[in-house]
Amino acid sequence: MKLRVGHGYDVHRFGPGDHVVLAGVRVPHSAGVIAHSDGDVLIHALCDALFGAAALGDIGRHFPDTDPRYRGADSRILLRRAMALLHAQRWDLVNADLTLIAEAPRVAPHQCAMIANLCSDLGVDEDRINIKATTTEGLGFAGRREGIACHAVVLIAERTSP
Ligand code: MG
């Protein structure tokens, strides 16, 4: 079986606002994020991991932030398009593991909703998607609560059946 691994990383700076969007879920927070789209770091990292695994470049190539069509964009639309591109090249997602890095907000109460959104957009069962979160013990930009980051790792496999 042909397998490929991909990694993605994204950061958004906190700015004015009262919530952040993570995996399409509106999570209340004392700040928002500064972004051209909805600033969904989790989905942006995931898209980059998918593109990386399939050797299709990166999210900036497919959805440039200079393109007015993506202003305030719902990143779930981008994720569905990214997965459709992979499916068109006969790649299926085996699993994805996501690590959010932030002192706040706490995502545990939203984890089920976040995973449900991703499974719906990616067309996979819930045992294939993992979301975890960590702080940096007060160190660095995340520790200073200046922003939020996410790492994503995916494995994809070439479809052997029609
Ligand atoms: Mg981003």
Side-chain angles (χ1 to χ4, degrees):
M1 193 185 354
K2 204 160 104 180
L3 297 169
R4 295 287 186 270
V5 67
H7 172 258
Y9 177 65
D10 193 40
V11 175
H12 280 279
R13 183 190 290 269
F14 287 136
D18 61 1
H19 70 280
V20 295
V21 178
L22 295 170
V25 175
R26 191 184 163 102
V27 177
H29 186 46
S30 54
V33 295
I34 297 167
H36 185 253
S37 67
D38 61 6
D40 194 325
V41 276
L42 197 144
I43 286 183
H44 297 174
L46 180 52
C47 285
D48 256 353
L50 290 167
F51 288 135
L56 287 172
D58 63 25
I59 192 169
R61 175 171 135 195
H62 294 275
F63 314 120
D65 64 8
T66 49
D67 189 331
R69 281 180 301 169
Y70 302 121
R71 189 183 304 278
D74 177 351
S75 294
R76 291 185 66 191
I77 294 169
L78 309 186
L79 179 60
R80 290 196 285 268
R81 285 202 199 149
M83 198 64 236
L85 278 166
L86 266 71
H87 282 150
Q89 298 203 0
R90 302 181 60 79
W91 291 110
D92 284 329
L93 179 64
V94 177
N95 75 303
D97 186 22
L98 302 146
T99 306
L100 271 167
I101 302 166
E103 296 292 323
R106 274 182 48 78
V107 296
H110 309 282
Q111 225 147 353
C112 287
M114 289 160 60
I115 288 175
N117 281 352
L118 297 184
C119 288
S120 163
D121 294 340
L122 296 165
V124 297
D125 292 336
E126 300 201 347
D127 64 345
R128 292 176 181 265
I129 306 293
N130 190 66
I131 298 174
K132 55 198 186 306
T134 186
T135 69
T136 57
E137 299 289 335
L139 300 171
F141 70 84
R144 293 189 298 269
R145 299 171 185 256
E146 293 168 0
I148 185 166
C150 186
H151 285 281
V153 176
V154 302
L155 185 69
I156 60 173
E158 187 180 42
R159 195 178 316 130
T160 48
S161 56

